[in-house]
Amino acid sequence: RDVPPPPPPIDFAGYKGKIRSVVDVKGKPVSVVDVLEEVGKSFVPGSGSTAGKADLEAALKSAEATASSSSGGAAAAAKVTAEVLKSAIANFDDAAHAAAAKADADSASSLTTAAAEAKKTATTSAAETTKRIAELEAQVTRMKSKRVDRTTTVEDVYEAYPDIKEEVHGEIDKHEWHKDIA
């Protein structure tokens, strides 16, 4: 039985060198990795900004120009760079839309939670307010029925204000006649 030969070893250092190969963008030498890192730093989900995409497209044009005008290792490196940039450009809009959709979903979720909490608080507050209004109306009714006028007796005052009755009788029992005299 024939056993196929093992695959050749992968030259990771060579690939890293190709990816980090330098191309000319806007008069400055930069690598694909530098461009991608810069785009990643300036990317804001949901902003609709295409500045990062424009930078990628400019780097792609420069890499393609380098690939066509160079030979040997520089041309191969520029071709690899161009392919990486094409892939980044193709995925740029998808990544922006996915990030914006996630941000929108997170916002909607937090708004729904906040609305539910606000509704709960409003319902509780309305119930407490209704209860307090009933208490105050009962107090006003009681006070109106116990108004002091010419026909009011001491017993009427004691009935309306039992705490006054206790205070007066306590002062009489202790012989504190002068206590409330200014």
Side-chain angles (χ1 to χ4, degrees), residues 61-93:
K61 286 180 185 176
S62 178
E64 288 172 342
T66 302
S68 65
S69 67
S70 300
S71 62
K79 286 179 185 178
V80 169
T81 300
E83 291 304 315
V84 170
L85 286 169
K86 284 178 188 176
S87 174
I89 291 169
N91 293 323
F92 189 87
D93 289 332

Side-chain angles (χ1 to χ4, degrees), residues 87-129:
S87 174
I89 291 169
N91 293 323
F92 189 87
D93 289 332
D94 292 339
H97 292 303
K102 182 180 181 330
D104 289 346
D106 291 346
S107 294
S109 174
S110 64
L111 286 175
T112 302
T113 302
E117 288 177 16
K119 184 177 179 181
K120 181 181 174 184
T121 302
T123 303
T124 303
S125 180
E128 290 173 358
T129 301

Side-chain angles (χ1 to χ4, degrees), residues 138-172:
Q139 184 178 355
V140 167
T141 303
R142 187 175 60 249
M143 291 176 140
K144 283 182 179 179
S145 71
K146 303 295 180 179
R147 282 191 178 155
V148 177
D149 61 11
R150 291 179 192 199
T151 61
T152 305
T153 65
V154 173
E155 281 74 28
D156 292 336
V157 173
Y158 286 167
E159 183 181 334
Y161 306 100
D163 53 328
I164 291 178
K165 178 182 178 181
E166 290 177 24
E167 183 181 347
V168 168
H169 286 282
E171 290 174 2
I172 290 171

Side-chain angles (χ1 to χ4, degrees), residues 124-138:
T124 303
S125 180
E128 290 173 358
T129 301
T130 303
K131 181 181 174 184
R132 182 66 178 143
I133 288 171
E135 290 172 357
L136 291 172
E137 286 175 346

